[in-house]
Amino acid sequence: MKKSTLFSLLAIFVLIPLTLCLGTQVKGRWDYLISTLIIIELMLPFFFRFESRKPQARELTVIAVLCAIAVASRLAFAWIPNFKPIFAVIMIAGFAFGQESGFLVGAVSAFASNLFFGQGLYTPWQMLAFGVAGLVAGLLRKQKVLLEKPWAMGLTGFFTVFLVVGPLLDTCSVFLAANELNAKAVLGIYMAGVPVNLSQAVCTFLTLLLVGKPFLEKLDRIRVKYGMMEAENG
């Protein structure tokens, strides 16, 4: 296993969960501190990937633009509860530029969009869940699991949101909303989250089905033309 991959896995699955646990233990409003720590932990693997070669400003610019598009997609549909295309944008970033870039886009866009929706102890959990959407997308395409068809992209997004991202967000509710951790309370929270997760999964499916392929083709063209993210995409 490459050092960069090992470092990324340690950051995502060790440092970030430890920070999340710390966030649930501290008293007072430490939302911004915990979120800032997670952003730093997310950025470390991203920049570590560029250690062996000189980073290109255009690569960072594209990542920043994708974060802005993801935030805008969430804000534009703020008037529709639980129906936001943001996960589709995040997953397209992962499809195009790899799992770590996808994770970074997801996590940063969650934090940035919450500047408008409101920060809270749930923000770090959202950063993790949104980031995992990009991470899964990047891993699937890297392993050639993703079929280059609109319906395949849509189904990939649907099941990723419904089976992975949604339950992660429900886990946040388990820790922050449940008065007592018992099987009945936990099951009730997860069951209550099913309609929300289903609605968001449908939105992701429709977005990827309608605009996923042309959006991805444009990003692939940019990546190939300028030799971007070569380390992640081989």
Side-chain angles (χ1 to χ4, degrees):
M1 182 179 293
K2 295 182 179 179
K3 290 183 178 179
S4 56
T5 302
L6 179 61
F7 185 83
S8 301
L9 292 175
L10 287 175
I12 293 172
F13 294 107
V14 178
L15 290 178
I16 293 174
L18 287 176
T19 306
L20 288 172
C21 291
L22 174 65
T24 60
Q25 298 299 319
V26 296
K27 298 182 181 297
R29 295 192 58 82
W30 290 77
D31 316 356
Y32 289 93
L33 175 61
I34 299 299
S35 299
T36 302
L37 286 175
I38 290 182
I39 286 181
I40 293 173
E41 291 163 1
L42 293 172
M43 293 176 69
L44 287 176
F46 177 74
F47 287 108
F48 188 78
R49 298 284 293 187
F50 294 97
E51 182 183 18
S52 60
R53 64 184 179 87
K54 184 178 179 181
Q56 302 178 49
R58 55 176 168 259
E59 297 178 6
L60 303 178
T61 301
V62 171
I63 295 298
V65 170
L66 288 172
C67 289
I69 294 174
V71 171
S73 70
R74 190 181 182 193
L75 294 176
F77 285 79
W79 55 283
I80 306 179
N82 309 313
F83 200 83
K84 311 290 188 296
I86 184 170
F87 292 117
V89 178
I90 293 169
M91 293 191 70
I92 290 172
F95 291 149
F97 299 119
Q99 63 270 20
E100 286 160 356
S101 297
F103 191 92
L104 182 66
V105 169
V108 173
S109 61
F111 178 78
S113 60
N114 275 1
L115 294 175
F116 300 93
F117 286 95
Q119 302 285 356
L121 288 175
Y122 50 81
T123 298
W125 291 88
Q126 287 182 327
M127 294 171 66
L128 177 63
F130 284 39
V132 165
L135 175 68
V136 170
L139 288 174
L140 288 177
R141 196 182 195 198
K142 187 175 182 180
Q143 299 302 323
K144 309 300 182 183
V145 175
L146 176 69
L147 300 177
E148 301 296 338
K149 299 291 183 180
W151 62 267
M153 293 181 64
L155 288 177
T156 300
F158 178 90
F159 287 112
T160 298
V161 172
F162 188 68
L163 299 179
V164 181
V165 178
L168 270 176
L169 294 174
D170 294 336
T171 303
C172 167
S173 299
V174 169
F175 285 101
L176 299 182
N179 295 324
E180 184 180 353
L181 290 180
N182 55 60
K184 184 177 180 180
V186 171
L187 180 61
I189 289 176
Y190 280 111
M191 291 303 295
V194 170
V196 175
N197 299 337
L198 181 61
S199 175
Q200 190 59 67
V202 169
C203 178
T204 304
F205 170 79
L206 292 175
T207 304
L208 289 173
L209 181 67
L210 296 175
V211 302
K213 186 174 182 179
F215 195 176
L216 180 58
E217 288 175 348
K218 297 294 188 299
L219 293 178
D220 279 341
R221 190 175 298 118
I222 292 173
R223 175 176 55 82
V224 173
K225 180 177 181 180
Y226 295 106
M228 297 166 58
M229 311 298 178
E230 291 176 347
E232 288 190 21
N233 292 281

